[in-house]
Amino acid sequence: MASIDDFRFESHQLLLELDAATMGMMMLVSSGCVSGPEWDAANKRQHDAYKCWDAFNNLPPAI
């Protein structure tokens, strides 16, 4: 069984990645780069970070 500290640590790591990925996309938007390989890579990073965060939040409760 994972402790609350383990949960908080993992949650924090996932949120840091999601925030960094989202910020990367927003930087591309502000620079006018919303297509092409750089945009595709940023979009994939943000999508993957969100999927990991969502999966973590929807884990069955530990009993």
Side-chain angles (χ1 to χ4, degrees):
M1 174 193 241
S3 72
I4 190 68
D5 289 335
D6 293 337
F7 175 84
R8 291 178 67 203
F9 180 79
E10 183 68 19
S11 176
H12 184 69
Q13 295 302 310
L14 292 168
L15 282 173
L16 286 174
E17 174 56 19
L18 180 56
D19 186 49
T22 302
M23 182 62 73
M25 286 187 76
M26 294 302 100
M27 288 174 61
L28 289 174
V29 168
S30 67
S31 69
C33 177
V34 292
S35 63
E38 191 175 4
W39 175 259
D40 292 340
N43 188 40
K44 181 179 179 343
R45 179 183 179 196
Q46 200 277 341
H47 179 265
D48 292 346
Y50 179 80
K51 276 179 45 177
C52 289
W53 169 247
D54 186 54
F56 177 75
N57 278 317
N58 290 301
L59 289 173
I63 298 176

Short mmCIF file of all heavy atoms in Angstrom, two decimals:
data_model
loop_
_atom_site.label_atom_id
_atom_site.label_comp_id
_atom_site.label_asym_id
_atom_site.label_seq_id
_atom_site.Cartn_x
_atom_site.Cartn_y
_atom_site.Cartn_z
N MET A 1 0.84 -1.17 0.00
CA MET A 1 0.00 0.00 0.00
C MET A 1 0.89 1.24 0.00
O MET A 1 1.81 1.38 0.79
CB MET A 1 -0.90 -0.02 1.23
CG MET A 1 -1.72 1.24 1.38
SD MET A 1 -2.45 1.31 3.02
CE MET A 1 -4.13 1.32 2.62
N ALA A 2 0.60 2.15 -0.91
CA ALA A 2 1.38 3.38 -1.01
C ALA A 2 0.96 4.36 0.08
O ALA A 2 -0.21 4.48 0.41
CB ALA A 2 1.17 3.99 -2.39
N SER A 3 1.92 5.06 0.59
CA SER A 3 1.63 6.05 1.62
C SER A 3 1.15 7.35 0.97
O SER A 3 1.29 7.55 -0.23
CB SER A 3 2.87 6.33 2.46
OG SER A 3 3.80 7.07 1.72
N ILE A 4 0.62 8.23 1.79
CA ILE A 4 0.18 9.53 1.28
C ILE A 4 1.37 10.31 0.72
O ILE A 4 1.23 11.03 -0.27
CB ILE A 4 -0.58 10.34 2.37
CG1 ILE A 4 -1.24 11.58 1.76
CG2 ILE A 4 0.35 10.72 3.50
CD1 ILE A 4 -2.35 11.32 0.83
N ASP A 5 2.54 10.12 1.30
CA ASP A 5 3.74 10.79 0.77
C ASP A 5 4.09 10.28 -0.62
O ASP A 5 4.48 11.06 -1.50
CB ASP A 5 4.92 10.63 1.72
CG ASP A 5 4.76 11.44 2.99
OD1 ASP A 5 4.03 12.45 2.97
OD2 ASP A 5 5.37 11.05 4.01
N ASP A 6 3.95 8.97 -0.83
CA ASP A 6 4.18 8.41 -2.16
C ASP A 6 3.20 9.00 -3.17
O ASP A 6 3.57 9.35 -4.29
CB ASP A 6 4.04 6.89 -2.15
CG ASP A 6 5.13 6.21 -1.34
OD1 ASP A 6 6.21 6.81 -1.16
OD2 ASP A 6 4.88 5.07 -0.87
N PHE A 7 1.94 9.09 -2.76
CA PHE A 7 0.91 9.65 -3.62
C PHE A 7 1.24 11.11 -3.97
O PHE A 7 1.17 11.51 -5.13
CB PHE A 7 -0.46 9.57 -2.94
CG PHE A 7 -1.55 10.24 -3.72
CD1 PHE A 7 -2.21 9.58 -4.74
CD2 PHE A 7 -1.92 11.55 -3.42
CE1 PHE A 7 -3.20 10.22 -5.47
CE2 PHE A 7 -2.91 12.19 -4.15
CZ PHE A 7 -3.56 11.52 -5.17
N ARG A 8 1.59 11.88 -2.96
CA ARG A 8 1.90 13.29 -3.17
C ARG A 8 3.11 13.46 -4.08
O ARG A 8 3.13 14.33 -4.96
CB ARG A 8 2.14 13.99 -1.84
CG ARG A 8 0.88 14.13 -1.01
CD ARG A 8 1.13 14.78 0.31
NE ARG A 8 1.50 16.17 0.07
CZ ARG A 8 2.20 16.90 0.93
NH1 ARG A 8 2.60 16.39 2.07
NH2 ARG A 8 2.48 18.14 0.65
N PHE A 9 4.14 12.63 -3.88
CA PHE A 9 5.34 12.72 -4.71
C PHE A 9 5.02 12.42 -6.17
O PHE A 9 5.38 13.17 -7.08
CB PHE A 9 6.42 11.76 -4.20
CG PHE A 9 7.68 11.81 -5.02
CD1 PHE A 9 8.60 12.83 -4.85
CD2 PHE A 9 7.93 10.83 -5.96
CE1 PHE A 9 9.75 12.88 -5.62
CE2 PHE A 9 9.08 10.87 -6.73
CZ PHE A 9 9.99 11.90 -6.56
N GLU A 10 4.33 11.30 -6.41
CA GLU A 10 3.98 10.92 -7.78
C GLU A 10 3.07 11.96 -8.42
O GLU A 10 3.25 12.34 -9.58
CB GLU A 10 3.31 9.54 -7.79
CG GLU A 10 2.96 9.03 -9.18
CD GLU A 10 4.17 8.68 -10.03
OE1 GLU A 10 5.27 8.48 -9.47
OE2 GLU A 10 4.02 8.62 -11.26
N SER A 11 2.10 12.43 -7.67
CA SER A 11 1.19 13.45 -8.17
C SER A 11 1.96 14.70 -8.57
O SER A 11 1.73 15.28 -9.64
CB SER A 11 0.15 13.77 -7.10
OG SER A 11 -0.69 14.80 -7.51
N HIS A 12 2.88 15.11 -7.72
CA HIS A 12 3.67 16.31 -8.00
C HIS A 12 4.51 16.13 -9.27
O HIS A 12 4.58 17.04 -10.11
CB HIS A 12 4.56 16.62 -6.80
CG HIS A 12 5.34 17.88 -6.94
ND1 HIS A 12 4.76 19.12 -6.92
CD2 HIS A 12 6.67 18.07 -7.11
CE1 HIS A 12 5.72 20.03 -7.08
NE2 HIS A 12 6.88 19.42 -7.19
N GLN A 13 5.14 14.99 -9.43
CA GLN A 13 5.95 14.73 -10.61
C GLN A 13 5.11 14.80 -11.88
O GLN A 13 5.53 15.39 -12.89
CB GLN A 13 6.64 13.35 -10.51
CG GLN A 13 7.65 13.25 -9.39
CD GLN A 13 8.75 14.27 -9.52
OE1 GLN A 13 9.36 14.43 -10.57
NE2 GLN A 13 9.01 15.00 -8.44
N LEU A 14 3.94 14.17 -11.84
CA LEU A 14 3.06 14.18 -13.02
C LEU A 14 2.56 15.59 -13.34
O LEU A 14 2.49 15.98 -14.50
CB LEU A 14 1.88 13.22 -12.81
CG LEU A 14 2.26 11.74 -12.77
CD1 LEU A 14 1.09 10.91 -12.28
CD2 LEU A 14 2.74 11.27 -14.14
N LEU A 15 2.25 16.34 -12.31
CA LEU A 15 1.78 17.71 -12.53
C LEU A 15 2.89 18.61 -13.07
O LEU A 15 2.64 19.49 -13.90
CB LEU A 15 1.21 18.30 -11.25
CG LEU A 15 -0.20 17.83 -10.91
CD1 LEU A 15 -0.61 18.33 -9.53
CD2 LEU A 15 -1.19 18.30 -11.96
N LEU A 16 4.12 18.40 -12.61
CA LEU A 16 5.24 19.16 -13.15
C LEU A 16 5.41 18.92 -14.64
O LEU A 16 5.62 19.85 -15.43
CB LEU A 16 6.53 18.82 -12.42
CG LEU A 16 6.69 19.38 -11.01
CD1 LEU A 16 7.97 18.83 -10.37
CD2 LEU A 16 6.70 20.89 -11.02
N GLU A 17 5.31 17.67 -15.05
CA GLU A 17 5.45 17.33 -16.47
C GLU A 17 4.28 17.91 -17.27
O GLU A 17 4.48 18.47 -18.35
CB GLU A 17 5.57 15.83 -16.67
CG GLU A 17 5.56 15.38 -18.14
CD GLU A 17 6.64 16.02 -19.02
OE1 GLU A 17 7.65 16.54 -18.50
OE2 GLU A 17 6.47 15.99 -20.25
N LEU A 18 3.07 17.79 -16.75
CA LEU A 18 1.91 18.33 -17.45
C LEU A 18 2.03 19.85 -17.59
O LEU A 18 1.77 20.41 -18.66
CB LEU A 18 0.62 17.95 -16.73
CG LEU A 18 -0.68 18.44 -17.36
CD1 LEU A 18 -0.82 18.00 -18.80
CD2 LEU A 18 -1.86 17.95 -16.52
N ASP A 19 2.45 20.52 -16.54
CA ASP A 19 2.61 21.96 -16.59
C ASP A 19 3.70 22.36 -17.59
O ASP A 19 3.52 23.30 -18.37
CB ASP A 19 2.95 22.50 -15.19
CG ASP A 19 2.99 24.00 -15.14
OD1 ASP A 19 2.04 24.65 -15.64
OD2 ASP A 19 3.97 24.55 -14.61
N ALA A 20 4.81 21.66 -17.58
CA ALA A 20 5.91 21.97 -18.50
C ALA A 20 5.47 21.74 -19.95
O ALA A 20 5.79 22.54 -20.84
CB ALA A 20 7.14 21.13 -18.17
N ALA A 21 4.75 20.66 -20.19
CA ALA A 21 4.29 20.36 -21.54
C ALA A 21 3.29 21.40 -22.03
O ALA A 21 3.35 21.86 -23.18
CB ALA A 21 3.66 18.96 -21.58
N THR A 22 2.38 21.81 -21.15
CA THR A 22 1.40 22.83 -21.51
C THR A 22 2.09 24.16 -21.76
O THR A 22 1.77 24.87 -22.73
CB THR A 22 0.33 22.95 -20.41
OG1 THR A 22 -0.30 21.68 -20.25
CG2 THR A 22 -0.72 23.99 -20.77
N MET A 23 3.03 24.52 -20.91
CA MET A 23 3.77 25.77 -21.09
C MET A 23 4.54 25.75 -22.42
O MET A 23 4.59 26.76 -23.12
CB MET A 23 4.74 25.98 -19.93
CG MET A 23 5.52 27.28 -20.03
SD MET A 23 4.49 28.75 -20.00
CE MET A 23 4.04 28.76 -18.29
N GLY A 24 5.11 24.61 -22.77
CA GLY A 24 5.80 24.50 -24.05
C GLY A 24 4.88 24.77 -25.22
O GLY A 24 5.25 25.47 -26.18
N MET A 25 3.67 24.24 -25.14
CA MET A 25 2.69 24.50 -26.22
C MET A 25 2.32 25.98 -26.25
O MET A 25 2.21 26.57 -27.33
CB MET A 25 1.44 23.65 -26.02
CG MET A 25 1.62 22.20 -26.36
SD MET A 25 0.07 21.30 -26.30
CE MET A 25 -0.68 21.83 -27.82
N MET A 26 2.11 26.58 -25.11
CA MET A 26 1.71 27.98 -25.07
C MET A 26 2.82 28.90 -25.59
O MET A 26 2.54 29.91 -26.23
CB MET A 26 1.31 28.39 -23.65
CG MET A 26 0.06 27.69 -23.14
SD MET A 26 -1.41 27.97 -24.17
CE MET A 26 -1.49 26.47 -25.13
N MET A 27 4.06 28.51 -25.36
CA MET A 27 5.17 29.28 -25.91
C MET A 27 5.17 29.21 -27.43
O MET A 27 5.44 30.22 -28.10
CB MET A 27 6.50 28.79 -25.33
CG MET A 27 6.68 29.16 -23.87
SD MET A 27 8.15 28.45 -23.10
CE MET A 27 9.44 29.15 -24.10
N LEU A 28 4.85 28.04 -27.97
CA LEU A 28 4.77 27.91 -29.42
C LEU A 28 3.61 28.75 -29.97
O LEU A 28 3.75 29.39 -31.01
CB LEU A 28 4.61 26.44 -29.82
CG LEU A 28 5.83 25.56 -29.63
CD1 LEU A 28 5.49 24.11 -29.93
CD2 LEU A 28 6.98 26.03 -30.50
N VAL A 29 2.48 28.74 -29.27
CA VAL A 29 1.34 29.55 -29.71
C VAL A 29 1.73 31.03 -29.74
O VAL A 29 1.45 31.73 -30.72
CB VAL A 29 0.11 29.32 -28.79
CG1 VAL A 29 -0.97 30.34 -29.05
CG2 VAL A 29 -0.44 27.91 -28.97
N SER A 30 2.36 31.49 -28.68
CA SER A 30 2.71 32.92 -28.62
C SER A 30 3.74 33.31 -29.68
O SER A 30 3.81 34.47 -30.09
CB SER A 30 3.20 33.31 -27.23
OG SER A 30 4.43 32.69 -26.95
N SER A 31 4.52 32.34 -30.15
CA SER A 31 5.49 32.64 -31.20
C SER A 31 4.92 32.39 -32.60
O SER A 31 5.61 32.56 -33.60
CB SER A 31 6.77 31.83 -31.00
OG SER A 31 6.54 30.45 -31.25
N GLY A 32 3.65 31.97 -32.65
CA GLY A 32 2.98 31.77 -33.94
C GLY A 32 3.27 30.43 -34.60
O GLY A 32 2.95 30.23 -35.77
N CYS A 33 3.85 29.52 -33.87
CA CYS A 33 4.17 28.19 -34.42
C CYS A 33 3.12 27.19 -33.96
O CYS A 33 3.23 26.62 -32.88
CB CYS A 33 5.56 27.78 -33.95
SG CYS A 33 6.02 26.11 -34.50
N VAL A 34 2.08 27.02 -34.78
CA VAL A 34 1.01 26.10 -34.40
C VAL A 34 0.82 24.99 -35.43
O VAL A 34 -0.26 24.41 -35.55
CB VAL A 34 -0.33 26.85 -34.15
CG1 VAL A 34 -0.22 27.72 -32.92
CG2 VAL A 34 -0.74 27.66 -35.37
N SER A 35 1.87 24.68 -36.15
CA SER A 35 1.85 23.55 -37.07
C SER A 35 3.29 23.12 -37.32
O SER A 35 4.23 23.82 -36.95
CB SER A 35 1.15 23.92 -38.39
OG SER A 35 1.88 24.93 -39.05
N GLY A 36 3.43 21.97 -37.91
CA GLY A 36 4.75 21.46 -38.23
C GLY A 36 5.27 20.49 -37.18
O GLY A 36 4.60 20.19 -36.18
N PRO A 37 6.47 20.00 -37.37
CA PRO A 37 7.02 18.96 -36.49
C PRO A 37 7.22 19.41 -35.04
O PRO A 37 7.01 18.63 -34.12
CB PRO A 37 8.36 18.59 -37.13
CG PRO A 37 8.58 19.51 -38.26
CD PRO A 37 7.34 20.29 -38.50
N GLU A 38 7.61 20.66 -34.84
CA GLU A 38 7.81 21.14 -33.47
C GLU A 38 6.47 21.17 -32.72
O GLU A 38 6.38 20.77 -31.56
CB GLU A 38 8.45 22.53 -33.49
CG GLU A 38 8.92 22.99 -32.14
CD GLU A 38 9.66 24.32 -32.20
OE1 GLU A 38 9.75 24.94 -33.28
OE2 GLU A 38 10.16 24.73 -31.14
N TRP A 39 5.42 21.64 -33.40
CA TRP A 39 4.09 21.66 -32.80
C TRP A 39 3.60 20.24 -32.53
O TRP A 39 3.04 19.95 -31.48
CB TRP A 39 3.10 22.39 -33.71
CG TRP A 39 1.72 22.32 -33.19
CD1 TRP A 39 0.72 21.50 -33.62
CD2 TRP A 39 1.16 23.08 -32.10
NE1 TRP A 39 -0.42 21.70 -32.88
CE2 TRP A 39 -0.18 22.67 -31.94
CE3 TRP A 39 1.68 24.06 -31.26
CZ2 TRP A 39 -1.00 23.20 -30.97
CZ3 TRP A 39 0.84 24.60 -30.30
CH2 TRP A 39 -0.47 24.18 -30.16
N ASP A 40 3.81 19.35 -33.49
CA ASP A 40 3.38 17.96 -33.32
C ASP A 40 4.05 17.32 -32.11
O ASP A 40 3.40 16.61 -31.34
CB ASP A 40 3.67 17.14 -34.58
CG ASP A 40 2.81 17.56 -35.77
OD1 ASP A 40 1.75 18.20 -35.57
OD2 ASP A 40 3.21 17.25 -36.91
N ALA A 41 5.34 17.58 -31.93
CA ALA A 41 6.07 17.02 -30.78
C ALA A 41 5.54 17.60 -29.47
O ALA A 41 5.35 16.87 -28.49
CB ALA A 41 7.56 17.28 -30.92
N ALA A 42 5.29 18.90 -29.45
CA ALA A 42 4.77 19.53 -28.24
C ALA A 42 3.36 19.03 -27.93
O ALA A 42 3.02 18.79 -26.76
CB ALA A 42 4.76 21.05 -28.41
N ASN A 43 2.57 18.87 -28.96
CA ASN A 43 1.21 18.36 -28.78
C ASN A 43 1.22 16.94 -28.22
O ASN A 43 0.46 16.61 -27.31
CB ASN A 43 0.46 18.42 -30.11
CG ASN A 43 -1.00 18.10 -29.96
OD1 ASN A 43 -1.65 18.51 -29.01
ND2 ASN A 43 -1.53 17.35 -30.91
N LYS A 44 2.10 16.10 -28.74
CA LYS A 44 2.21 14.73 -28.26
C LYS A 44 2.68 14.70 -26.80
O LYS A 44 2.16 13.94 -25.99
CB LYS A 44 3.16 13.91 -29.12
CG LYS A 44 3.27 12.45 -28.66
CD LYS A 44 4.18 11.65 -29.53
CE LYS A 44 4.34 10.21 -29.11
NZ LYS A 44 3.95 9.81 -27.79
N ARG A 45 3.65 15.55 -26.48
CA ARG A 45 4.15 15.60 -25.10
C ARG A 45 3.03 15.98 -24.14
O ARG A 45 2.85 15.37 -23.09
CB ARG A 45 5.30 16.60 -24.98
CG ARG A 45 5.84 16.71 -23.57
CD ARG A 45 6.92 17.75 -23.45
NE ARG A 45 7.40 17.83 -22.07
CZ ARG A 45 8.10 18.84 -21.60
NH1 ARG A 45 8.45 19.84 -22.40
NH2 ARG A 45 8.47 18.84 -20.33
N GLN A 46 2.25 17.00 -24.50
CA GLN A 46 1.17 17.45 -23.64
C GLN A 46 0.09 16.37 -23.53
O GLN A 46 -0.42 16.09 -22.44
CB GLN A 46 0.59 18.76 -24.15
CG GLN A 46 -0.17 19.56 -23.13
CD GLN A 46 -1.60 19.13 -22.93
OE1 GLN A 46 -2.20 18.46 -23.75
NE2 GLN A 46 -2.17 19.53 -21.80
N HIS A 47 -0.23 15.75 -24.64
CA HIS A 47 -1.24 14.68 -24.65
C HIS A 47 -0.80 13.52 -23.77
O HIS A 47 -1.59 13.01 -22.95
CB HIS A 47 -1.46 14.22 -26.09
CG HIS A 47 -2.44 13.11 -26.22
ND1 HIS A 47 -2.07 11.79 -26.28
CD2 HIS A 47 -3.79 13.12 -26.30
CE1 HIS A 47 -3.15 11.04 -26.38
NE2 HIS A 47 -4.21 11.82 -26.39
N ASP A 48 0.45 13.11 -23.90
CA ASP A 48 0.96 11.99 -23.10
C ASP A 48 1.00 12.34 -21.61
O ASP A 48 0.67 11.51 -20.76
CB ASP A 48 2.35 11.57 -23.58
CG ASP A 48 2.33 10.94 -24.97
OD1 ASP A 48 1.23 10.58 -25.45
OD2 ASP A 48 3.41 10.82 -25.56
N ALA A 49 1.39 13.57 -21.30
CA ALA A 49 1.43 14.00 -19.90
C ALA A 49 0.03 14.00 -19.30
O ALA A 49 -0.16 13.56 -18.16
CB ALA A 49 2.06 15.39 -19.78
N TYR A 50 -0.94 14.45 -20.07
CA TYR A 50 -2.31 14.45 -19.56
C TYR A 50 -2.82 13.02 -19.37
O TYR A 50 -3.48 12.72 -18.36
CB TYR A 50 -3.26 15.21 -20.49
CG TYR A 50 -4.67 15.18 -19.95
CD1 TYR A 50 -5.05 16.04 -18.93
CD2 TYR A 50 -5.59 14.25 -20.41
CE1 TYR A 50 -6.32 15.98 -18.39
CE2 TYR A 50 -6.86 14.18 -19.88
CZ TYR A 50 -7.23 15.06 -18.87
OH TYR A 50 -8.47 14.99 -18.33
N LYS A 51 -2.51 12.13 -20.32
CA LYS A 51 -2.94 10.74 -20.18
C LYS A 51 -2.37 10.10 -18.92
O LYS A 51 -3.07 9.39 -18.20
CB LYS A 51 -2.51 9.91 -21.41
CG LYS A 51 -3.48 10.01 -22.55
CD LYS A 51 -3.06 9.23 -23.79
CE LYS A 51 -2.55 7.86 -23.50
NZ LYS A 51 -2.20 7.09 -24.70
N CYS A 52 -1.11 10.37 -18.63
CA CYS A 52 -0.49 9.82 -17.41
C CYS A 52 -1.16 10.38 -16.16
O CYS A 52 -1.42 9.64 -15.21
CB CYS A 52 1.01 10.12 -17.40
SG CYS A 52 1.95 9.18 -18.61
N TRP A 53 -1.42 11.67 -16.15
CA TRP A 53 -2.07 12.31 -15.01
C TRP A 53 -3.48 11.74 -14.82
O TRP A 53 -3.88 11.41 -13.71
CB TRP A 53 -2.11 13.81 -15.23
CG TRP A 53 -2.98 14.55 -14.27
CD1 TRP A 53 -4.13 15.21 -14.56
CD2 TRP A 53 -2.81 14.69 -12.85
NE1 TRP A 53 -4.67 15.75 -13.42
CE2 TRP A 53 -3.88 15.44 -12.36
CE3 TRP A 53 -1.85 14.23 -11.97
CZ2 TRP A 53 -4.01 15.76 -11.02
CZ3 TRP A 53 -1.99 14.55 -10.62
CH2 TRP A 53 -3.05 15.30 -10.16
N ASP A 54 -4.22 11.60 -15.90
CA ASP A 54 -5.58 11.07 -15.85
C ASP A 54 -5.58 9.62 -15.35
O ASP A 54 -6.39 9.25 -14.49
CB ASP A 54 -6.25 11.17 -17.21
CG ASP A 54 -7.70 10.77 -17.18
OD1 ASP A 54 -8.46 11.32 -16.35
OD2 ASP A 54 -8.09 9.90 -17.99
N ALA A 55 -4.67 8.81 -15.86
CA ALA A 55 -4.58 7.42 -15.44
C ALA A 55 -4.25 7.33 -13.95
O ALA A 55 -4.82 6.51 -13.21
CB ALA A 55 -3.54 6.67 -16.26
N PHE A 56 -3.35 8.17 -13.49
CA PHE A 56 -2.97 8.18 -12.08
C PHE A 56 -4.17 8.54 -11.20
O PHE A 56 -4.39 7.94 -10.16
CB PHE A 56 -1.84 9.19 -11.86
CG PHE A 56 -1.41 9.34 -10.42
CD1 PHE A 56 -0.65 8.37 -9.81
CD2 PHE A 56 -1.77 10.47 -9.70
CE1 PHE A 56 -0.25 8.51 -8.50
CE2 PHE A 56 -1.38 10.62 -8.39
CZ PHE A 56 -0.61 9.65 -7.78
N ASN A 57 -4.95 9.52 -11.62
CA ASN A 57 -6.10 9.95 -10.85
C ASN A 57 -7.25 8.95 -10.85
O ASN A 57 -8.13 9.02 -10.00
CB ASN A 57 -6.63 11.30 -11.34
CG ASN A 57 -5.84 12.43 -10.77
OD1 ASN A 57 -5.52 12.43 -9.60
ND2 ASN A 57 -5.51 13.38 -11.60
N ASN A 58 -7.24 8.05 -11.80
CA ASN A 58 -8.32 7.08 -11.90
C ASN A 58 -7.92 5.68 -11.51
O ASN A 58 -8.60 4.71 -11.85
CB ASN A 58 -8.90 7.11 -13.32
CG ASN A 58 -9.66 8.39 -13.56
OD1 ASN A 58 -10.61 8.71 -12.87
ND2 ASN A 58 -9.20 9.15 -14.55
N LEU A 59 -6.81 5.56 -10.78
CA LEU A 59 -6.41 4.25 -10.24
C LEU A 59 -7.45 3.80 -9.22
O LEU A 59 -7.99 4.63 -8.48
CB LEU A 59 -5.04 4.34 -9.56
CG LEU A 59 -3.84 4.52 -10.46
CD1 LEU A 59 -2.59 4.76 -9.61
CD2 LEU A 59 -3.65 3.31 -11.35
N PRO A 60 -7.71 2.51 -9.15
CA PRO A 60 -8.62 2.04 -8.10
C PRO A 60 -8.01 2.32 -6.72
O PRO A 60 -6.79 2.27 -6.56
CB PRO A 60 -8.74 0.54 -8.36
CG PRO A 60 -7.69 0.20 -9.35
CD PRO A 60 -7.19 1.46 -9.98
N PRO A 61 -8.86 2.62 -5.77
CA PRO A 61 -8.33 2.93 -4.43
C PRO A 61 -7.63 1.71 -3.82
O PRO A 61 -8.05 0.58 -3.99
CB PRO A 61 -9.56 3.31 -3.61
CG PRO A 61 -10.73 2.86 -4.41
CD PRO A 61 -10.29 2.68 -5.83
N ALA A 62 -6.54 1.97 -3.12
CA ALA A 62 -5.81 0.92 -2.42
C ALA A 62 -6.53 0.62 -1.12
O ALA A 62 -6.89 1.53 -0.38
CB ALA A 62 -4.38 1.34 -2.15
N ILE A 63 -6.73 -0.62 -0.88
CA ILE A 63 -7.45 -1.02 0.35
C ILE A 63 -6.48 -1.63 1.34
O ILE A 63 -5.57 -2.29 1.04
CB ILE A 63 -8.57 -2.01 0.02
CG1 ILE A 63 -9.57 -1.33 -0.88
CG2 ILE A 63 -9.22 -2.52 1.28
CD1 ILE A 63 -10.69 -2.22 -1.37
#
